[in-house]
Structure formats: structure tokens, C-alpha cells
Amino acid sequence: MGQLMPIFSSQTLGHESWRLVERTHDSTRAGLHETLFALGNGRIGVRGSHEEGNLWAGTMQDSVFVNGFHDTEAIHHPEGAFGLASQNQFLVDVPNGKLIRWAVDGEAFDPRTGSIENYRRVYDMREASLCRSFVWTSPMGKRVSVQSRRIVCMERPQLYAIEFSLEALDEAACVTIDSSLDARGKSVTATDDPRLGSAAAGNALLRIDASRDGDSIVLAHRTRHSGLLLASAVAQQVCGGTATSEPIGEPDCPGTRFRVQLAANERAVLTKYCALVSSMETPASQLARNAADLLRQARSSGFDKLLAEQCEALDRWWQDADVEIEGDELLQQGMHFNLLHLLQSAGRNGRTNIAAKGVTGSGYDGHYFWDTEIYIFPVLLHTRPELARKLLEFRFHTLDAARARARELNHPRGALFPWRTIAGGECSAYFPAGTAQIHINADIAHAVKRYWEATGDDAFMASQGAELVFETARIWLSHGAMSGRDGVENFQLHTVTGPDEYTALVDNNFYTNAMAQMHLRFAHEVAHWLANADPAAARRVQLRIDLDVDEPARWRAAADLMYLPYDAELGIHPQDDSFLSKPRWDLSAPNTKRPLLLHYHPLVIYRHQVCKQTDVLLALLLLGEQFTLADKQRDFDYYEPLTTHDSSLSCCIFGIVASEVGYASKAYDYFVEGVRTDLDDHHGNTVNGVHTAAMAGAWHGVVAGFGGLRMQRGIPAFAPQLPNGWKRYAFKLKTGGAQLRVCVDHLGTHYQLIHGAELSLVHRGTAVLLTRTAPRASFPVPTPLVDERATA
């Protein structure tokens, strides 16, 4: 195992499986809790800061985001070279509609004055809401009860809403509530940490219009460089007491002041609806009008109806996606937390994707990586396949940009997807650990392959999938070359970087070569299928991309001759041609500083045998049918002591492979490490946003690790084990137009067909067919998860 340790134990947030409960405001944890309490709907992300914003000590990033809404800036290379990425795209802080300030009998609320009692904030994962309550006694002795509820509407992707109330306790009081739309620029500190966001993100908007209609406000902005437009609007109303209102604020922070006279024990309730409409989905001329329409509809519905819609939407999600763990409350809490944030992070319109930090923070500039296809995509494929398709549509939508990037890198044909992007252009300023990771093409093809096998969606393959697979496959032939090795001609890939970013610009990275081989074979298969199943579609694709008739055969030939490194003496797969010749980095040395990327020059790291994350083992997992159990065990034993797990993508893969090769305690430890990556802030940077790939890894840890799921041409195959201390675990899986429930307990493994006419599966090598008339099958007590040596 690595040496990751919790920075903050979230046991301070309680043990409840469906709720995080903050019982005191701790300024040292405030930034972390902003991330953990963030709400989103795949489009809007609202960080979990207080309505009063930076009045609360420790507030770090009181921000609201729109997935994909970005500005651009030049990438400055002190020493330039042809083809280096020239323009960064970064997620923009958009106007913040949740700002509320208030006073009682002229005394402005400040958490640092007076006293606070009965403080509680509850992040409810079952309904994706954030509720808050406390009693404030002012310096003059006035007592008020404060309550708020907040949601980001799943069913209305351009809307979020807040209900805020003040109750006069003991005696009458006059309260003032200032409700604002805050578009003031934020100061963002520049940093050398490559995981953080752009310093320009807080000041990327130019106000171009503003309007007010009663207590409703609309601001219009344009990004400074990308030219995207945004209408931000709020509508607000107060019920209870005797209220008057007046406009307040400055041009970049307009608002409404409500004065409410309250009798003793009377409550004033402010309901605030916030809309964000952008030119990414709405014509510029209609932005303000659409925002105003959304607010009218929201006011007509009311907060309670919006919350009811939210609960119904989340009920549907949990019906399909919940992973039940009976036997450890903290792990169950972590699983619910992860699954909610995955839903909140996923773009739903085919024009946005899933950022590494979701919609919870500006870390990594809001960029999309390979994390989507390899880690997150399978979770959504088997819980919300229609959403998984939208993620593939995003890649198709940005295919032209990938074609342009390929030409910049001297590929005469085909498409090369960027390592990190928002709108399709390459944003990685450090090409050794960015653009050189051309395995992203195969990662996308792997997602297309898995989607097609699980859904049978021939229409997608004919209209988008085939072209996506063909154009990306072309890169392998122009990048690679035939070369002799030990008297044998092989197809080899030179000067690439695999998933392990502590080793860069190498020849024949094992993961890259193995995934490229899969990709080329799949492209050949798709070409053959399309020509026979839909000749008209095949002809359209052929004409659109100028596909030569012999290209598919050349893809297959290159795949069959692909060189996969193997060291017969050690019985392992070298990570690349030079990896084994380097000295090993002693990670147990007391003076080793972590993470390595923040303390050592890349050249120091590159000249050692040391891994940031899984590389070879990931290939063994994704392409597991090609390798023996003994192969996997020897590779695990070799690479585990060399891996720092400085990437949050690492632990989950090690845990799954450990489970497969019989290392029970390691498998469990890695799972525990991964499932609470953000709740316990294992990497010390959750303040900048959650780690969506690690969140998906928690699902894989149960389903593919302990459940043993491996998809075999669309057929799920299981080898379930029950971890010690667990009473049971259960999950659901969609595939082949059907839905399956799997439950593993001390009595055995139980399969149930939930939806669909029939479903084929494999249980430990035994074929099973579930039908409407015979929807259940059970098998004896599963193999206990205990340590044992794997055998070939």
C-alpha cells in the first residue's frame, strides 16, 4: 500500500449513510467542506459555502460554475517549439446568486460576533440538498433562528434555488435581508501546482447588460476571449411578517433589500430562484428572455415543488445506481457520496463531459481527461446508459478539433484527441505528460466498444461510433512503425507516455501498445460489421473520411504484429523498453517527499523505476482475458512497491487486481483508501474539487473487485467474494436491454432479473439464463475474501 493518510477525518461529519452532518463551523475545514457540500446537476455546480459567503472564517472559493462554460488564455512557453499547445481553456467563475446578508434591529450578522447555538448543516445525499440551521444571539441580545435549504435542480438544468428564513425568538424584531447577484471579480492566486486552476478564472467576465424588473435581476456577461455569453438571473420573494423591498447594490453586485417587521416567534421566508443560461445551448438573442421565463416558471412552482421534483429524480437514480454495503457505515456513506457526485458531475447534452473535479471546483481548470472513458463511463453505462451515450457524443462533437490536432502532429489522416480539454483543443502545456499520452485514442475506442457490447446500439455505431473508432485508429499506423526485435518483425510505438506520468516519452509503453492493439482489432471488426449490416452507412463514412478499402486490413495486420514487452527472466511485463534498466526509487526512505511531482524535477523522477499510478496493471484489468492469473500476480508483486499512488486514479485498480489474484487484505485496504478519497481528503487537495475518477473507482471496487465483474462481449461474468466483516453487499447492473440485481451475503450469491425479457450471465464459469418466468438464481456461499497465493 501507499502512504496516503487522511488530512481531515470526516468522522467529524458523522457516520450516517445518507447524510453528512456538520455540527460546528471549523475554519480549518471550511474550504474542504465547500467541496464536500457542493451541489450540481451535470450543468450547474454550486460550492457548499455559506449564503453569507466570506463572513464565515475559512471561506476559500465561494463559487458557482457552469460545466463547459470557459474562457481562454495563451499558453506561454519560454522556449517555443512547433505544435506545442498554444491556448488554454479554463472553467469560469460565474455570477453567484446565493449571496445573502442580513441584520436584526440594525445589527448585521457576523459569525465572529454575538454567539451561535445549535449549529448544524446537513448534506442530504438521498435528495441532493443542503440544509442549515442555527440560533444567533446578537451582541445586543436579540435571538433569531436561521434556517436555509438549497438545491441545484436535476430536472431543470439551468436553475438552482434557495429557501432562507429568519425567525424572531422571544420578542419582536425588525430584520433586513439583502439578497444579491454577485458578479464581482475574485482574486485567484497563481500557483506552480499543475493540478490547480487558472488565476484568470475569477475575472474572466465582462458585463454587457443589466436589467431589473421588481425584485428580479438579470445580468448579461461575455467571456473576455472565448466570446461565450451568459445570462445570470435571480428572482426573489419574501413571505411572513410585514415586508417592504428596495433595490440595493453596485453594478456588479445588484440586489434587493427586504425589511420585515416580525412579531415574536414569527418567521420571514426568502425564496430565491437563480437561473444561468448560456450561448452554449441558447441563441444569444434569447438568453435574457429564457432566463426570465425560467424564473417565472420556478416562482409559479414554488420551492417545495422543486424539491419534490428533486426527490423523484434522485429516487430514480438510487433505484438504479445504489451500491449497498451492510457492515461498515463509513464505507456506505462514502459510496453514497461518490455516486451522488458522479451524477452531479456528468454533462447531459452531448456537448459537455465530466471534469476531473466535476462541478465542485476549478482544479485542473475544469478540464476533461481520459478519466471519463476508463473510470467513469462504465459506471454510467451500467446505471444510466443514455447518459453514457451523451459522453461519447461529446467526443464525436469534438472530432474535428481532434483531426486538426492530428495534422499539427504530422499525422496525415485521422484524429488525435487532446489529453486535457473543455471545447476540443489541446490544453496540456506540458507535452511529455500530456500530448504524448496518445493512449487516450484507445481509451475512447474502448468506451465505444463497451457501450456497443452492452447496449447493442447499432444506430449510434452507424451514425457516430464507427467514424470515431476509424479516425482514432488511423493514428496508430502513422505514429508506429515496423521494427525488428530479436529477429522478429513487430509493430512498435515510440516516444509515448502511458498512464504513469512518472515515466515519460518512452518506447513501447505496455499499456499504450496493448490498448492500441485492442483498438485496431476493434476498428477492423466494426468496418466488417458496418459493411455487411448497413452498406449505405458504410459508404457514407467511407466518403466522409476518405477511407481506403484496404485500411481495415492494415489495422488488423498492425494489431497482430503489435509488440507487447515481456521479460521472461522476471516473468513480468516491463512498463516500457527502458523501465527495467533504471534504478529503483526507494519509497521507504525517510527523506522522500510526497507527492513527488511537487518536490522533484521531472528528470529526476523519469530516471527511476517509480510509478505515480497503475499502468501495466490497468491494461491487465481492461484486457484481462489476454493474461493468466499468474501474469497478473507477478506484475502486481513487481509494481506495487514501486507505486506512490500520488494519483487518485491508482488505488482502486490495485485493489481490483489484488482481489482477483487473492490478496484479500490488500484488496480491502486499497478499497477503503479509495472509497473515502475525498471525505478524508487523502491527497490534501479536495479543497479544489472532488476526484471524480476515484469516486468511480469506488463503484468498480465493489462491482469489479469484490463482485468480480468482467464483461465478456456484453455478457456479465461474476466471481463474487464477501469481505470479512461485511454482512452483505448489493448492486444493480444494466446491460443488453435488461437490469440485473446482484446480492452477495453469507448465504450465497443471488441474481435477480429486475427488468427485461431475459439476461445471460456467468457465475464462476457457469452459464446462467434469467427470464421473466425464471428471474432468480442463487449459488452457495461465495468464496470468502481471504489471503491466498494465486496460481496459474
Side-chain angles (χ1 to χ4, degrees), residues 466-649:
E467 185 173 345
L468 196 53
V469 170
F470 296 163
E471 285 286 75
T472 49
R474 283 172 152 172
I475 296 302
W476 302 117
L477 267 63
S478 57
H479 186 101
M482 294 298 298
S483 181
R485 180 180 289 270
D486 299 327
V488 178
E489 283 288 307
N490 298 113
F491 188 79
Q492 300 185 29
L493 298 170
H494 300 116
T495 319
V496 301
T497 299
D500 169 32
E501 295 174 355
Y502 285 173
T503 309
L505 303 179
V506 298
D507 295 339
N508 296 310
N509 167 258
F510 180 82
Y511 176 90
T512 303
N513 286 26
M515 291 293 284
Q517 182 183 61
M518 173 280 304
H519 186 180
L520 290 164
R521 286 175 173 163
F522 179 53
H524 175 267
E525 175 190 341
V526 172
H528 180 75
W529 165 80
L530 191 61
N532 288 278
D534 194 339
R539 180 62 176 164
R540 286 193 297 271
V541 173
Q542 180 184 9
L543 293 174
R544 191 157 55 240
I545 68 173
D546 192 23
L547 183 68
D548 293 339
V549 293
D550 65 338
E551 276 191 83
R554 285 189 275 129
W555 296 337
R556 181 58 192 245
D560 291 343
L561 293 172
M562 183 69 70
Y563 173 67
L564 298 181
Y566 184 75
D567 186 284
E569 182 177 346
L570 295 175
I572 68 165
H573 297 94
Q575 188 167 293
D576 58 72
D577 283 355
S578 62
F579 190 81
L580 298 185
S581 65
K582 301 173 182 178
R584 296 165 69 104
W585 190 308
D586 182 6
L587 296 176
S588 65
N591 60 343
T592 298
K593 299 177 181 178
R594 303 276 289 275
L596 301 187
L597 77 158
L598 296 185
H599 296 94
Y600 301 91
H601 192 282
L603 291 178
V604 176
I605 299 173
Y606 294 166
R607 67 173 180 252
H608 288 87
Q609 285 189 59
V610 64
C611 302
K612 181 183 181 184
Q613 63 202 79
T614 49
D615 194 299
V616 170
L617 291 187
L618 182 57
L620 301 187
L621 175 61
L622 297 178
L623 307 171
E625 70 280 358
Q626 298 177 207
F627 307 99
T628 68
L629 199 61
D631 285 334
K632 297 172 185 178
Q633 179 193 306
R634 287 193 296 268
D635 283 334
F636 184 98
D637 292 344
Y638 189 86
Y639 288 103
E640 187 190 27
L642 300 178
T643 304
T644 66
H645 307 293
D646 286 347
S647 167
S648 63
L649 282 64

Side-chain angles (χ1 to χ4, degrees), residues 102 109-118 134-144:
W102 51 277
F109 169 72
D110 188 326
R112 297 163 295 186
T113 64
S115 63
I116 291 177
E117 305 171 85
N118 303 326
F134 61 89
V135 172
W136 183 60
T137 302
S138 75
M140 295 297 292
K142 292 284 188 175
R143 296 177 67 241
V144 290

Side-chain angles (χ1 to χ4, degrees), residues 389-447:
R389 172 172 170 158
K390 291 298 180 183
L391 300 178
L392 295 179
E393 289 177 3
F394 165 80
R395 293 298 189 182
F396 186 79
H397 174 66
T398 57
L399 189 54
D400 281 344
R403 290 184 177 107
R405 184 58 174 161
R407 303 302 169 270
E408 290 178 342
L409 293 177
N410 209 38
H411 296 289
R413 312 177 88 178
L416 179 59
F417 276 95
W419 181 241
R420 50 192 296 177
T421 191
I422 293 178
E426 176 63 88
C427 297
S428 177
Y430 185 63
F431 74 87
T435 300
Q437 297 201 56
I438 64 173
H439 64 78
I440 192 168
N441 270 19
D443 303 331
I444 293 168
H446 186 269

